[in-house]
Amino acid sequence: MTVKLTINDNIAEVEEGTTVLEATEALGIKIPTLCYHKALSPYGGCRLCLVELDDGRQKRIQTSCVYPVQEGLKVETDTERVVKARKIVLELLLARCPESDEIKRIAKDLGVTETRIKKSTVHDEKCILCGLCVRMCEERMGKSVIGFANRGINREVIPPFDAESEICMGCGACAFICPTGAINPKDFCTRGITMLPSEFDLGVGPRPVVSIAFPQAVPNTPTIDKENCVYFQLGKCKMCEAVCEAGAFDFEQQEEIKELEVGAVVLAPGYEIFNPDLKKELGYARYPNVVSSLQFERILSASGPYLGQICRPSDGEHPKKVAFIQCVGSRNEENDYCSSVCCMYATKQAIIAKEHEPDLECTIFYIDLRAYGKEFEAYYNRAESLGIRYIRCRPSSIKEVPNKHNLRINYQASDNELVNEEFDLVVLSTGLRPPEEVNRIAETFGIQLDEQGFAATREFSPIETSRDGVYVCGPFSEPKDIPETVMEASASAAGAMTLLSEVRGTLITHKEYPPEKDVSGQEPRIGVFVCHCGKNIGGVADVPSVAEYARTLPNVVYAADSLYTCSTDTQEMIKEMIGEHNLNRVIVASCSPRTHEPLFRNTCREAGLNEYLFEMANIRDQNTWVHMSEPEKATKMAKDLVRIAVAKSRLLDPLYRGRLKVNNQALVIGGGMAGMTASLFLADQGFHVHLVEKEKELGGNFLHIRSLLNGTDPRQRLTETIDRVNSHPLIDVHLESTVTEAKGSVGNFETTITHNGDKTEVAHGAVIVATGATEYEPTEYLYGNNPRVITQHALEEWIADDNPELRNIKSVVMIQCVGSREEERPYCSRVCCSQAVKNAIVMKDRLPETDAYVLYRDIRTYGFLERHYREAREKGVRFIRYEVDQKPQVSPSQNGFRVSVLDHILNTNLNIQCDLIVLAPAIVPRGDADEVGKLYKVPLNQDRFFLEAHMKLRPVDFATDGVFMCGIAHAPKSVEESIAQASAAASRAATLLSKVELELDATISEIIDANCDGCAYCIDPCPFAALTLIEYMYNGEVKKTVERNEALCKGCGVCMATCPKMGIFVRGFKPEQLGVMVEAALEEA
Amino acid sequence: MADDNFEPRIIAFCCNWCSYAGADLAGVSRLQYPPNILVIRVMCSGMVHPNLVIDALTKGADGVLICGCHPGDCHYLEGNLKAESRKDAIELMLEDFGLEPERFRLEWISASEGPRFAEVMREMTETIRGLGPSPYRQ
């Protein structure tokens, strides 16, 4: 049965039993109320929802939330009488709760700022007796913990007898629903109210039962925590379902088990952080201001628990002194490895913390500062110059200062003094552990683990597990940083792609679209679809009036509002309207184009409209969500945003993505281990490779490596690799050759290879730069003047060849960082520490009576290399630290050399007599790196290694498409790391080479030849070297103009903003398009 | 000078990859700021021609913001630095047009800095409110 009634002259037809308030709201007319909630039974408590009713017999004021509709009823929601009555109610509420900000705000909205009624003297009274909490507890939670007691002015909401309640489950629903913040279940619940700790914030902040895991989660959909959900536990509540306008809650969802048939598996389950609670002496979980590094990461985050403010958990105060303790759960007996990343993340956190608060004092307690990665050393130097204090000491315990929650740390200062210092906050740099489920994973996939529980991998192939076809990447096989993880990710993909190359692309299904309508020359016919997004937009802005306004704008032929524009039925409706009204422009006014533009573009395309004839107005994220308490202004702004979108859409053009044929051959420059590995991975996938090597033979620096840390001779592997490369039918090896000229860009390069003056031109789609690096030739420590001062590489050869020189060595001194980590070369060469450790162990094994000393600055045996460092110490190798400004002094003596060095532990000068000195020279970039760089327009960094597109996320790509890098031309690294990076480069190149055609961006720049006078201002600023100046003959004269390479242009528009003549623009962002947007923004609605 | 009824009209050109996303995050986090800013999405802060800024100000905008990625974070490597290098030129033009330098602001706001976006918008609105309407506003 339906009932017809009139509300403010609108006819409404609603179900019998509907209340007047519900009927009114359904029409989009708002009535103020404090005690009504659609999920609870109406109560008529606050009396704000008064309306004037006329049933034909009399006119009277009634509370609309409890009054059922009647046939023929006339409702007026804003007559003078109604407004007056509401104002009196508000005066009463103001008198009862004079301190409540919420009541004051509502009163002010309705024009009431003072009350004529005597104000309550009850201190801080906030309860308005609306009874929402009572109904919530009874109806939704089924508990009835609280209820009304007493009468008249003594009436209040309390548990029975005002006693503490054992029934209260501490769910907090009463506090959630209370409009004035008057109730706190802590006051009566015997269970103690605890917040659910947010997993993402690692317990520093709370999270709701229904939550999105973290802001960037994919999919960005809320889930219910069943364990803590009242419905799942007790069968009550379901408030979420009641408030969700979209009806999106599904309580019946079950875990599903799906079976997939695959040819290869990549395991990337990541790591877990070491639980610092296992180190009781550090006070984690006992002292509130001792946090783990990942918790501190969340504290620093703008989206973290303190919104980017640095606060300490105990009291929310800003700390003045923060200490970082390194190696918590690393480099000890149980965790016999270095976690590889903690030194740098602590340094980063200290720098960011100081950016937040420049006066903050940060102190990092460490053992060895392991800044071994690319540009890490420079970062560490920067941290020191910012005043971050590094103290070489591992504090044994942390004590809390009673009452203040400050923390005391005992440590040994550099002058060996014992110091006891107080800090406000302590961050534990917790190490990386294998994931908890590691045994289950290993069992499921039948792979072996190493003794620490990480995935065991094969020698020379850090991405292959013990089982064929099962690959691994990231810290699951060994703790590692982001760049190495990303490299391994691509490398493991290369492994899988090689295995499956024959079936590549066979499971792809292509979507079919209808032919596109030609709209050229047509007058714009714009359709505007305004979204309510449930209450998200519609609850703030007056959406129907926005749609109505849109209809008044030029060229708008259709406008409508819908509850959810992104829903499937609305999508269908949009497609229908495009056909019915012959729309040639579509605007959706809803959420952000960043999330929904692809969806709506696809809808347009499905209706035969070019997808670029679509425009969006962001009236939710950037309007109703940020102007929630100003509905009128939000409505105005929604209109402004629609007007701006309409203005732009009138000037939209259909755009098309360019297509480019791809040459699927590759060029690899450099025939070392990296270049050969990359070549093999590509050739094994069926791509033809041209491998160019400058020297007479393949092998590069690997030719000089004679033993590995585990004692194996790597030459067998090298020979196998060289043989495979030489005999591979798809690899052309060009020895004693260099690349001398290069043209073209991604997908279509032409390179000239020169061999003994003979030139060969090859066409290829991708380039891999693997030109390697060389060794620094030392000038220090008598190198070159005395044959018994040698490099680690030379020592390795002596050992491998069993050189008789070695037999009489009584004492050997190894000196680290020769040419590295100095002003001229401010980077760490990464591999020298482990090389020294390796050779020192062999020396001790062969000649146990020989004394071996390693003079070092920091021992950087990261990851599993740490075990060998320990082994070396156990075998009696002596490690003595020196400072860069107090380098060891080497002088010839009777039987060899005298090395003098300051021992920091004994604080005395040591004089070591030795008969062999072994230096660890820096790895230096090749002198000709620049030339290769220029050929392919790719840059070097300040240390003259090749510069990748992104230090962390794109470690093998150049910013220039189609050009990749691997090996030590990128930065110093171990053989295994070079192999991983080479596989990664092959993988990245294969994603390009496997395409027949490359689909390019449509929104790239375009030159207006008539406007361009060839001034060339735009050419240098282009970050992608996509523009060139050209000349051609026009009417008998030389005309200069600019040419854009469509494969290289990314559409950033730097050219457009540089051009003084409007001679170049970016499609979709033309100056006139942006211009009309500005003009529309400045118009009044 | 300060007129109680004056509602500043501010245009913010926001980079699609960072500040525009930061503005969205301010929304997702329900951070409130004054309804005086209209955001125009651009692909890069380096795409905004100085003429566009001056046009906006001389056609009646009370303030203009360009918001881009923090140095080093540019989606297009260094478009943001190009935007920064044009700042001085824009300020000189403002002087020529008799406009206060505070009417233009270049800010770096990342995709994760919702609170910062809201804060910058509040500050800018207050600054412009203090300056009063643009002399070019009709």
Side-chain angles (χ1 to χ4, degrees), chain A residues 592 625 627-628 1059 1082, chain B residues 9 24 32-33 41 49 59:
Chain A
S592 175
W625 275 353
H627 311 310
M628 295 174 89
C1059 181
L1082 299 173
Chain B
R9 287 196 303 201
D24 282 349
Q32 306 296 299
Y33 58 86
R41 182 169 70 115
H49 202 294
K59 283 178 177 165

Side-chain angles (χ1 to χ4, degrees), chain A residues 676-946:
Chain A
M676 288 193 293
T677 305
S679 302
L680 284 171
F681 264 100
L682 284 170
D684 285 347
Q685 290 181 63
F687 302 113
H688 195 116
V689 179
H690 301 275
L691 175 60
V692 181
E693 168 57 47
K694 205 155 80 167
E695 304 294 331
K696 282 190 193 132
E697 56 175 337
L698 294 169
N701 290 307
F702 203 55
L703 291 165
H704 307 293
I705 299 176
R706 302 298 296 275
S707 75
L708 297 182
L709 268 161
N710 61 9
T712 354
D713 182 351
R715 278 183 305 179
Q716 193 195 339
R717 169 74 181 207
L718 180 65
T719 320
E720 280 168 17
T721 309
I722 294 174
D723 287 350
R724 273 224 326 123
V725 169
N726 280 326
S727 61
H728 205 295
L730 289 177
I731 302 179
D732 289 344
V733 180
H734 304 257
L735 291 176
E736 288 180 277
S737 302
T738 50
V739 290
T740 45
E741 274 174 68
K743 286 190 296 215
S745 56
V746 55
N748 297 284
F749 291 98
E750 275 173 34
T751 297
T752 308
I753 301 170
T754 306
H755 167 72
N756 283 341
D758 295 340
K759 292 184 174 183
T760 319
E761 207 164 89
V762 293
H764 52 102
V767 189
I768 295 179
V769 177
T771 47
T774 57
E775 197 175 69
Y776 164 67
E777 193 173 334
T779 53
E780 46 273 82
Y781 306 120
L782 306 176
Y783 185 82
N785 299 330
N786 189 316
R788 297 182 78 80
V789 180
I790 61 173
T791 64
Q792 288 285 359
H793 271 132
L795 175 63
E796 210 163 305
E797 281 182 11
W798 281 20
I799 294 170
D801 299 340
D802 203 12
N803 191 317
E805 290 278 354
L806 273 178
R807 285 177 202 151
N808 299 319
I809 303 284
K810 298 268 177 301
S811 170
V812 55
V813 170
M814 300 181 174
I815 303 176
Q816 298 303 103
C817 293
V818 179
S820 304
R821 303 182 62 190
E822 292 189 357
E823 216 173 314
E824 199 187 333
R825 259 169 253 97
Y827 58 87
C828 164
S829 293
R830 187 168 175 138
V831 297
C832 342
C833 282
S834 45
Q835 195 181 22
V837 163
K838 170 178 81 181
N839 290 340
I841 290 174
V842 179
M843 289 290 283
K844 279 307 245 188
D845 284 347
R846 294 237 182 134
L847 309 159
E849 300 305 314
T850 303
D851 290 327
Y853 299 88
V854 178
L855 311 188
Y856 71 100
R857 288 175 58 195
D858 289 279
I859 287 291
R860 292 180 168 174
T861 44
Y862 55 94
F864 295 160
L865 298 171
E866 180 69 13
R867 295 173 195 164
H868 302 285
Y869 176 37
R870 178 184 45 75
E871 185 193 338
R873 292 199 312 273
E874 283 168 4
K875 286 192 166 154
V877 179
R878 289 195 54 199
F879 289 84
I880 300 164
R881 191 171 62 80
Y882 74 88
E883 294 281 344
V884 67
D885 49 5
Q886 286 170 310
K887 284 188 186 167
Q889 299 298 316
V890 175
S891 47
S893 73
Q894 224 166 7
N895 308 317
F897 307 95
R898 199 183 66 154
V899 181
S900 158
V901 64
L902 179 74
D903 183 309
H904 286 268
I905 296 169
L906 303 173
N907 210 13
T908 55
N909 235 13
L910 289 181
N911 286 315
I912 307 165
Q913 197 63 38
C914 69
D915 30 32
L916 182 66
I917 292 198
V918 185
L919 305 182
I923 292 176
V924 292
R926 299 190 78 97
D928 55 4
D930 224 10
E931 289 162 32
V932 175
K934 276 186 191 140
L935 282 179
Y936 297 100
K937 296 176 187 160
V938 292
L940 303 175
N941 72 358
Q942 66 268 30
D943 299 327
R944 309 193 60 72
F945 289 101
F946 282 104

Side-chain angles (χ1 to χ4, degrees), chain A residues 102-264:
Chain A
E102 192 58 23
I103 299 294
K104 278 195 264 186
R105 192 186 62 76
I106 296 166
K108 197 180 160 210
D109 284 351
L110 291 175
V112 180
T113 47
E114 243 337 303
T115 176
R116 291 164 291 175
I117 302 152
K118 192 182 159 203
K119 286 182 185 169
S120 160
T121 51
V122 177
H123 174 68
D124 203 23
E125 177 65 86
K126 282 184 181 160
C127 180
I128 55 164
L129 299 172
C130 69
L132 278 172
C133 53
V134 177
R135 280 174 284 152
M136 177 71 123
C137 192
E138 182 186 338
E139 295 171 15
R140 287 278 164 180
M141 304 300 160
K143 290 288 179 193
S144 299
V145 171
I146 41 177
F148 287 110
N150 308 323
R151 289 182 188 185
I153 58 163
N154 294 324
R155 195 163 167 83
E156 60 182 334
V157 174
I158 47 170
F161 312 109
D162 208 1
E164 287 196 328
S165 169
E166 282 174 18
I167 301 164
C168 175
M169 54 187 171
C171 70
C174 51
F176 164 78
I177 201 84
C178 178
T180 60
I183 194 162
N184 186 348
K186 275 187 189 166
D187 296 341
F188 49 80
C189 181
T190 52
R191 300 184 191 208
I193 311 282
T194 45
M195 297 283 190
L196 291 176
S198 152
E199 287 80 4
F200 184 57
D201 285 337
L202 293 117
V204 187
R207 68 144 168 85
V209 174
V210 180
S211 63
I212 294 174
F214 49 94
Q216 295 80 13
V218 179
N220 209 258
T221 320
T223 50
I224 301 172
D225 167 9
K226 275 176 129 176
E227 298 301 306
N228 289 295
C229 168
V230 174
Y231 171 69
F232 278 105
Q233 297 307 317
L234 303 168
K236 287 295 195 174
C237 187
K238 278 200 173 182
M239 275 301 282
C240 50
E241 187 185 44
V243 297
C244 178
E245 300 270 335
F249 278 89
D250 178 1
F251 299 98
E252 307 302 322
Q253 262 182 5
Q254 294 296 324
E255 198 168 82
E256 285 174 59
I257 293 178
K258 287 186 181 172
E259 275 186 29
L260 301 174
E261 262 184 53
V262 297

Side-chain angles (χ1 to χ4, degrees), chain A residues 640 643-644 1076-1083, chain B residues 9 11 38 40:
Chain A
D640 291 344
R643 186 175 63 244
I644 294 170
V1076 293
M1077 290 175 88
V1078 166
E1079 278 171 23
L1082 299 173
E1083 273 172 38
Chain B
R9 287 196 303 201
I11 293 177
L38 286 166
I40 293 181

Side-chain angles (χ1 to χ4, degrees), chain A residues 215-216 301-303 307-308 536 591-595 597 601 615-618 620-630 633-634 636-637 640-641 643-644 648 949-950 959 1003 1020-1024 1050-1061 1066 1069 1071 1074-1075 1077-1084, chain B residues 7 9-11 13-52 55-62 72-73 75-80 82-83 86 110-117 129 137:
Chain A
Q216 295 80 13
S301 169
S303 62
L307 295 175
N536 284 303
C591 45
S592 175
R594 295 183 60 262
T595 53
E597 194 176 60
R601 280 192 166 165
E615 188 63 28
M616 248 179 127
N618 187 341
R620 185 189 72 180
D621 303 42
Q622 296 182 8
N623 182 22
T624 55
W625 275 353
V626 289
H627 311 310
M628 295 174 89
S629 59
E630 296 170 282
K633 288 179 177 169
K636 180 185 171 293
M637 179 167 279
D640 291 344
L641 291 165
R643 186 175 63 244
I644 294 170
K648 182 178 180 188
H950 191 284
T1003 50
D1020 286 342
C1022 174
F1024 304 98
K1050 301 258 184 275
C1052 68
V1054 164
C1055 50
M1056 173 167 99
T1058 309
C1059 181
K1061 322 261 165 46
V1066 172
F1069 294 90
L1074 295 175
M1077 290 175 88
V1078 166
E1079 278 171 23
L1082 299 173
E1083 273 172 38
E1084 288 292 343
Chain B
E7 282 303 333
R9 287 196 303 201
I10 300 162
I11 293 177
F13 294 101
C14 291
C15 157
N16 175 65
W17 307 101
C18 54
S19 315
Y20 193 88
D24 282 349
L25 182 62
V28 173
S29 322
R30 308 295 195 278
L31 303 170
Q32 306 296 299
Y33 58 86
N36 298 77
I37 290 106
L38 286 166
V39 173
I40 293 181
R41 182 169 70 115
V42 289
M43 294 314 283
C44 178
S45 54
M47 169 185 272
V48 184
H49 202 294
N51 287 353
L52 193 62
D55 262 11
L57 287 167
T58 53
K59 283 178 177 165
D62 300 305
D73 288 347
H75 186 78
Y76 304 106
L77 311 175
E78 48 191 29
N80 53 352
K82 300 290 187 285
R86 296 183 193 118
S110 80
S112 65
E113 291 178 325
R116 184 171 151 70
F117 185 87
R129 214 179 271 287
R137 189 164 168 174

